[in-house]
Amino acid sequence: MDIVAGCVVKKDNKILMVQEANEKYYGQWNFPAGHVDEGESIMEGAIREVKEETGCDVKLTGLLPIKTVYQKGIPTLIVEFTAEIINENIKFDKNEILDVKWIDIE
């Protein structure tokens, strides 16, 4: 089973979102998330993915409902946390992410 971890990062009634550069999801806006590495905890994976995709450091504050999705018949566990910004330093790899923005919750 694959495990994907990520965060919903909220600040000033806005949520931090990433625009995907990956061919399969090109142009779509998502929460920062990605596959948990071998030997890494789900919490560590979520924090790492936010850092890799946005440049920001976060602190986990809660857990959202866990889901399972099937991609090509393979189950993937999706674990999303709520998080707050510790250090906001937006920078990203343009080969993986097209843009990073704070988007109004409304």
Side-chain angles (χ1 to χ4, degrees):
M1 176 180 282
D2 244 353
I3 301 173
V4 170
C7 292
V8 176
V9 184
K10 185 178 167 186
K11 180 183 98 172
D12 300 329
N13 214 33
K14 295 183 180 197
I15 294 178
L16 189 62
M17 302 286 287
V18 298
Q19 189 177 30
E20 302 286 349
N22 177 307
E23 185 178 335
K24 184 176 178 183
Y25 301 105
Y26 191 86
Q28 290 183 14
W29 288 92
N30 287 315
F31 302 118
H35 294 275
V36 175
D37 291 339
E38 189 174 327
E40 179 178 58
S41 77
I42 294 171
M43 294 173 289
E44 290 167 339
I47 292 168
R48 176 186 50 75
E49 284 293 341
V50 173
K51 179 73 171 185
E52 286 180 2
E53 293 189 358
T54 70
C56 298
D57 296 306
V58 296
K59 173 181 149 188
L60 303 181
T61 57
L63 177 65
L64 297 170
I66 296 171
K67 321 174 251 217
T68 303
V69 297
Y70 289 84
Q71 298 176 351
K72 297 179 183 176
I74 300 168
T76 300
L77 188 69
I78 310 288
V79 182
E80 293 174 312
F81 297 91
T82 56
E84 63 184 41
I85 288 284
I86 295 172
N87 178 30
E88 184 178 346
N89 181 26
I90 294 180
K91 60 182 178 182
F92 52 94
D93 180 349
K94 294 192 185 236
N95 293 317
E96 291 188 28
I97 301 296
L98 297 173
D99 201 2
V100 175
K101 286 188 180 177
W102 288 100
I103 296 178
D104 245 349
I105 291 174
E106 268 79 86

